[in-house]
Amino acid sequence: MKTSTRISRAGSTVAVALLLLGLEGCGSSSSASGDAAHSGAKKATFHRVTDPSSRPPEDMVAAVSPGKGGPPVGLRFEVRSSPEAGQPVDIDLAILPNAAAIEHLEGKIQGGENLSVVEGGDIPAVEKPAQGTVIRHVVRLLPKQDGIFIVTAAINVDLGNDSITRTFTIPVIVGDGLPELTAKSEVADAASAAGTGPKSH
């Protein structure tokens, strides 16, 4: 029963995270690629790994980037453990240069009032990163309360004579997330199990 509740909460969480992304509207000169849609379906699941740096980027979750344009850089992430209020949690990032002529790349990560960045807020500059390489970075967060929060990662890329900033958003579920959403999901599950839920025609 507990597993069912977690799955239900996860569905609600993804919906809320996508709503928050729509409200943020961070300006960017790049677009969400197919990875964005895949991220929504895959969700920010939690994997406990001995050596996160060895985890292939394709097995990590794709961060979402709104906007339109070419994708000179991608970002994937992995939350090392289930975030709990008052306990620091690490997120592993894989920055993926996706253009042949990048001259310079660096970035900054920001949390919010209830989810502060305590370590790793600055992504160090990398000169002439080769296309297809993986740039690893770890950021440590400190959640202050349960809820669903957004971490933003702004990656600055100098590409030829152009300078592009691509902003990514990472949803982080702390503790029970949003209790009211969990309660609604449990009610819906109970109604469906009893055969009283809405039926499709």
Side-chain angles (χ1 to χ4, degrees):
M1 183 63 183
K2 188 174 182 180
T3 301
S4 174
T5 301
R6 282 282 183 183
I7 295 175
S8 300
R9 182 166 65 86
S12 299
T13 296
V14 171
V16 172
L18 292 177
L19 176 61
L20 291 174
L21 296 180
L23 293 175
E24 272 197 8
C26 297
S28 171
S29 58
S30 308
S31 72
S33 62
D35 283 343
H38 182 65
S39 173
K42 189 173 180 181
K43 188 190 166 292
T45 52
F46 308 119
H47 301 275
R48 300 179 190 277
V49 293
T50 302
D51 183 9
S53 65
S54 66
R55 191 170 186 83
E58 56 268 22
D59 289 343
M60 301 170 77
V61 182
V64 176
S65 178
K68 297 181 179 180
V73 64
L75 180 68
R76 287 178 173 264
F77 69 96
E78 180 83 19
V79 182
R80 290 193 186 180
S81 59
S82 298
E84 298 292 338
Q87 299 296 322
V89 61
D90 289 342
I91 296 183
D92 293 284
L93 303 179
I95 301 150
L96 309 172
N98 194 25
I102 294 178
E103 297 292 329
H104 178 90
L105 181 151
E106 63 182 347
K108 189 165 186 66
I109 301 166
Q110 293 184 321
E113 180 181 353
N114 293 308
L115 184 66
S116 58
V117 176
V118 294
E119 288 183 29
D122 293 320
I123 299 173
V126 179
E127 303 298 330
K128 299 183 182 299
Q131 185 175 12
T133 59
V134 180
I135 301 170
R136 303 280 182 173
H137 185 72
V138 179
V139 58
R140 176 163 292 180
L141 307 173
L142 181 61
K144 296 181 181 178
Q145 63 182 46
D146 286 6
I148 303 173
F149 307 106
I150 295 294
V151 175
T152 60
I155 311 295
N156 303 315
V157 177
D158 291 333
L159 186 65
N161 295 324
D162 197 9
S163 182
I164 298 171
T165 298
R166 188 172 184 189
T167 301
F168 296 89
T169 50
I170 299 171
V172 178
I173 309 163
V174 180
D176 290 330
L178 298 179
E180 63 272 20
L181 290 181
T182 303
K184 289 179 181 178
S185 295
E186 290 174 349
V187 170
D189 284 350
S192 177
T196 58
K199 299 179 180 179
S200 57
H201 297 285

